[in-house]
Amino acid sequence: MGRSRGLGNKAEEPRFVVDTMLGHVARWLRFLGFDAEYIPKEASDSEVVERALSEGRILVTRDHDLVRRRALKGRYVLVRSEDALKAVGEVLDALGLKPEARPFTRCPECNVPIEEVDRDCVSPLVPIKVRVTQKAFSRCPRCGRVFWRGKHWEQMRERIAGVLGVGREEVDSGEVDLSALGRLGGEGGMAHKWRYDEVPEEEVEGAVGVKVRWLLDESRGARNFAMRLFEVEPGGCTPHHSHPYEHEVFVLEGRGIVKVGEEEFEVGPWDVVFVPPNTPHCFKCKGVGAFKFICVVPLKKGGR
Ligand SMILES: [Zn+2]
Ligand SMILES: [Zn+2]
């Protein structure tokens, strides 16, 4: 459970600044309608604190040392969960903010409120099937992304109901104000493109010297698979673990050792590795440069 103190007037709209390495938390806060700025990797602790103070934002962090800073005056939430959605739940619980959630009212990329737009305005931008089946559309005034109430929206709604601790039926019956729903979509996902470094880096639970970027997952419109980019520093290693789904791995850079069950492979660029379900495995960097690879997992059935 996160903790917090002295957060002032409850009536004011809470705004967050989310510490580096918690990019997924920032995105989910935005999906829930909260203003959540994300701190880039290069920022120093002092810059993080300064940003929070100068903009009147509540700091969301996992860093125990950072929250000891007096200047913060207790305006922080210290999250413990490694799971982004659970961490968001901790933030909302700590501040009593679950009733304030307004899902699907903010662009998850730009952190600005999205605006309702006329169907005619967006017609050229959305697939024909969506154009004929959907009535309500919204658009981000900054990046121009168009949102609607598609299959992806249904999937996100399910997860959001989970965070808010309500059943989907309760959500539907209006116990929680989700009237602003209907702004986010992707019927099978609209095609879009971005660069890997636009996706924030995150830490990997139980790993040493490993960073991951969730290049593609449900928060970007995918419904079946998540594509992650791992970077393992020299001497680093992912946790030795196993789970009921497979890994599909493609090596981009560097050299590594992959242990899978009783097998051990040395791999390098262009190598492909299949890690079967329920087989203990880990990835180690072997060499002087970072070991970088793509790893694809299913979104459902505990793919995370
Ligand atoms: Zn945007
Ligand atoms: Zn694994």
Side-chain angles (χ1 to χ4, degrees):
M1 191 62 67
R3 70 195 163 89
S4 61
R5 294 178 281 127
L7 293 165
N9 184 2
K10 256 196 153 182
E12 84 191 52
E13 192 198 346
R15 301 188 308 148
F16 299 99
V17 59
V18 180
D19 200 4
T20 183
M21 296 301 173
L22 294 174
H24 250 64
V25 173
R27 281 176 68 78
W28 276 107
L29 282 168
R30 293 170 187 172
F31 274 123
L32 285 159
F34 295 105
D35 179 341
E37 288 295 333
Y38 178 63
I39 293 284
K41 190 179 151 197
E42 311 76 49
S44 68
D45 281 3
S46 299
E47 283 167 335
V48 174
V49 172
E50 173 55 29
R51 182 87 189 265
L53 293 176
S54 66
E55 297 181 18
R57 291 176 180 274
I58 299 161
L59 174 66
V60 176
T61 184
R62 213 180 261 155
D63 185 339
H64 290 256
D65 294 331
L66 192 54
V67 300
R68 286 202 199 99
R69 298 220 173 190
R70 284 239 176 90
L72 273 176
K73 298 197 181 87
R75 289 179 61 88
Y76 64 83
V77 179
L78 187 62
V79 293
R80 294 172 200 285
S81 179
E82 297 285 340
D83 178 272
L85 266 176
K86 284 186 187 146
V88 166
E90 290 176 18
V91 172
L92 301 187
D93 280 337
L95 305 176
L97 283 177
K98 282 183 178 169
E100 309 300 323
R102 297 291 178 268
F104 307 122
T105 55
R106 190 171 288 273
C107 178
E109 306 299 327
C110 310
N111 191 36
V112 297
I114 55 178
E115 298 165 350
E116 277 180 54
V117 283
D118 204 68
R119 177 158 57 178
D120 295 339
C121 298
V122 296
S123 278
L125 303 171
V126 300
I128 187 154
K129 187 181 160 216
V130 173
R131 225 179 298 160
V132 297
T133 56
Q134 299 291 323
K135 291 190 186 74
F137 293 91
S138 294
R139 186 164 53 192
C140 170
R142 189 167 297 169
C143 70
R145 275 188 181 80
V146 178
F147 303 95
W148 64 88
R149 203 172 183 147
K151 286 259 165 53
H152 179 231
W153 164 79
E154 280 171 24
Q155 200 179 41
M156 296 291 287
R157 185 174 63 158
E158 189 95 36
R159 300 198 68 185
I160 283 172
V163 181
L164 297 178
V166 296
R168 254 188 67 188
E169 301 74 25
E170 283 177 81
V171 171
D172 288 339
S173 73
E175 287 283 327
V176 175
D177 179 12
L178 296 184
S179 56
L181 287 176
R183 317 285 177 81
L184 185 111
E187 197 76 51
M190 239 181 94
H192 52 295
K193 180 210 145 210
W194 57 96
R195 280 183 56 83
Y196 83 98
D197 53 4
E198 292 171 40
V199 180
E201 271 187 341
E202 297 180 44
E203 288 168 271
V204 176
E205 187 175 3
V208 180
V210 183
K211 300 283 184 275
V212 63
R213 295 177 204 257
W214 288 73
L215 297 179
L216 189 46
D217 63 5
E218 68 271 58
S219 74
R220 291 176 193 270
R223 286 166 53 197
N224 297 296
F225 300 103
M227 181 193 285
R228 297 102 44 94
L229 169 63
F230 284 85
E231 298 192 24
V232 186
E233 290 168 13
C237 189
T238 65
H240 193 246
H241 71 173
S242 111
H243 33 66
Y245 52 91
E246 75 249 31
H247 283 320
E248 300 176 4
V249 173
F250 181 66
V251 180
L252 301 173
E253 269 183 55
R255 298 212 66 84
I257 301 286
V258 186
K259 283 189 185 173
V260 188
E262 302 299 309
E263 308 273 358
E264 192 172 300
F265 311 106
E266 182 171 342
V267 295
W270 305 102
D271 283 333
V272 181
V273 183
F274 175 61
V275 178
N278 301 310
T279 313
H281 56 275
C282 65
F283 295 77
K284 269 186 197 166
C285 179
K286 177 183 194 278
V288 291
F291 173 41
K292 303 183 186 181
F293 58 91
I294 294 290
C295 177
V296 175
V297 291
L299 282 170
K300 287 173 198 155
K301 297 172 190 151
R304 272 178 178 270

